[in-house]
Amino acid sequence: MSASNEFSKYKALVFDCYGTLIDWETGIYDGLKPLFSKAGKPSDRRTVIEAFSSVEHNLQARFPSMLYPDILARVYTTLDARLQNKETPPSALRDDASAGAPAVSSAHTPSGTDPTASTQVGTSADAQQQAPPSAAAVAFAQSVASWQPFPDTVPALAALSQRFKLVILSNIDRATTAKTRRVLEDGADDAPAFAFAFDAVYTAEEVGAYKPAPEMLTYALAHLKSDFGIAQEEVLMTAQSIMHDIIPARGRGIDTAWINRADAVTGLKDVKGDEAKYVFPTLGALADAVEGRGA
């Protein structure tokens, strides 16, 4: 079967945005490296990103309904304190029962299919009641909108848009994702040959949970069916993170394409390499395979 025919059964590609389309790790590294250097700590890319991921993962599990910029500000505050051997400020890690909001899920399980609700969670409203984050923490949280796409992203999306609905499923909030969407689509506007537009964007803000919580995929699949008439078996999950996207999708019986970007650090713990149905080094390579080039 030719590559183009092999992919013809899919009607929608569901992308993780940050890490798959946007060079997320470079944005994180550039924003946090000065903290590590100032503290005289190792500041190589892997050390910085793994430290970030550890704190982020914990906060997302404990605060599933908190907006991502507030998560980022708390990550920055926590790392800054740890690097200076100071106690983490209560406002950075507080799990405040006064918020009174039940957790949708903190399901960070291997399959990504088992909800495990915590009793109470913090919210962005709760964060605003605490001591405000530093200007540096706020700047880091707001830097996401300026993070740039990988060089192959826009040409690949333009090509793939000719065959599939393009859908983002992101842990980042609506406002930030909208800015990134403009970066990607405006980049295509600057090069008419690469014109495209996303068909839908679903974020953790609507769902009240962070990937790999199963509610994220449940929400996306329901909307793909109701909004576009696309069934689960017609969806190809396309992502860099094995933990956040590939394993949860596979656990639901969804076909997967792993974009195994060179030098990526996050989402690869205990990866064997056989988790996804397809593996490509870039999104451009997936687009080439769909068109039957280099297959």
Side-chain angles (χ1 to χ4, degrees):
M1 179 180 291
S2 70
S4 58
N5 285 336
E6 184 176 356
F7 291 97
S8 63
K9 67 179 179 179
Y10 304 116
K11 294 184 179 179
L13 304 184
V14 175
F15 300 100
D16 170 61
C17 184
Y18 301 90
T20 305
L21 309 180
I22 297 293
D23 190 354
W24 178 84
E25 290 188 356
T26 293
I28 293 295
Y29 182 59
D30 289 347
L32 294 179
K33 182 182 177 182
L35 276 184
F36 285 73
S37 298
K38 180 180 70 174
K41 304 294 185 182
S43 59
D44 60 280
R45 186 180 178 98
R46 177 170 291 275
T47 296
V48 172
I49 292 173
E50 286 183 346
F52 167 86
S53 296
S54 176
V55 178
E56 181 211 38
H57 183 74
N58 175 268
L59 288 172
Q60 287 179 331
R62 295 176 63 190
F63 298 87
S65 61
M66 183 170 288
L67 295 182
Y68 194 71
D70 293 325
I71 293 285
L72 282 181
R74 290 185 178 214
V75 171
Y76 187 99
T77 301
T78 300
L79 289 174
D80 191 21
R82 290 180 181 178
L83 288 166
Q84 298 182 58
N85 296 315
K86 295 180 180 178
E87 183 178 352
T88 302
S91 62
L93 290 175
R94 184 175 176 184
D95 190 357
D96 192 351
S98 69
V104 172
S105 176
S106 57
H108 290 77
T109 59
S111 68
T113 59
D114 304 319
T116 54
S118 60
T119 55
Q120 302 288 337
V121 300
T123 66
S124 288
D126 175 46
Q128 293 170 2
Q129 296 170 9
Q130 308 304 316
S134 68
V138 172
F140 176 67
Q142 294 177 344
S143 70
V144 181
S146 67
W147 297 351
Q148 294 300 300
F150 292 100
D152 63 289
T153 295
V154 170
L157 290 172
L160 293 167
S161 70
Q162 302 302 307
R163 294 179 178 269
F164 310 105
K165 297 292 186 184
L166 305 183
V167 177
I168 288 175
L169 181 63
S170 178
N171 274 347
I172 296 186
D173 59 289
R174 285 194 297 262
T176 304
T177 305
K179 293 176 183 177
T180 295
R181 178 178 182 174
R182 288 196 293 271
V183 168
L184 293 167
E185 295 178 349
D186 289 351
D189 289 343
D190 293 338
F194 299 142
F196 80 95
F198 290 101
D199 296 282
V201 176
Y202 310 131
T203 76
E205 183 176 355
E206 293 100 84
V207 181
Y210 283 106
K211 294 183 292 183
E215 289 82 3
M216 287 289 282
L217 269 177
T218 297
Y219 184 93
L221 291 171
H223 278 271
L224 283 167
K225 185 65 175 178
S226 62
D227 298 344
F228 303 106
I230 295 175
Q232 175 174 313
E233 59 270 17
E234 298 171 313
V235 173
L236 181 66
M237 171 60 73
T238 307
Q240 179 274 325
S241 177
I242 295 290
M243 178 189 77
H244 291 93
D245 298 287
I246 300 300
I247 289 177
R250 187 182 69 172
R252 299 284 286 269
I254 301 169
D255 284 350
T256 55
W258 177 28
I259 308 303
N260 183 20
R261 292 203 175 271
D263 302 321
V265 175
T266 52
L268 300 177
K269 184 179 180 181
D270 300 324
V271 169
K272 299 176 182 177
D274 61 355
E275 289 83 358
K277 180 172 183 176
Y278 306 104
V279 181
F280 300 99
T282 65
L283 192 65
L286 168 59
D288 286 343
V290 168
E291 297 300 327
R293 299 188 296 263

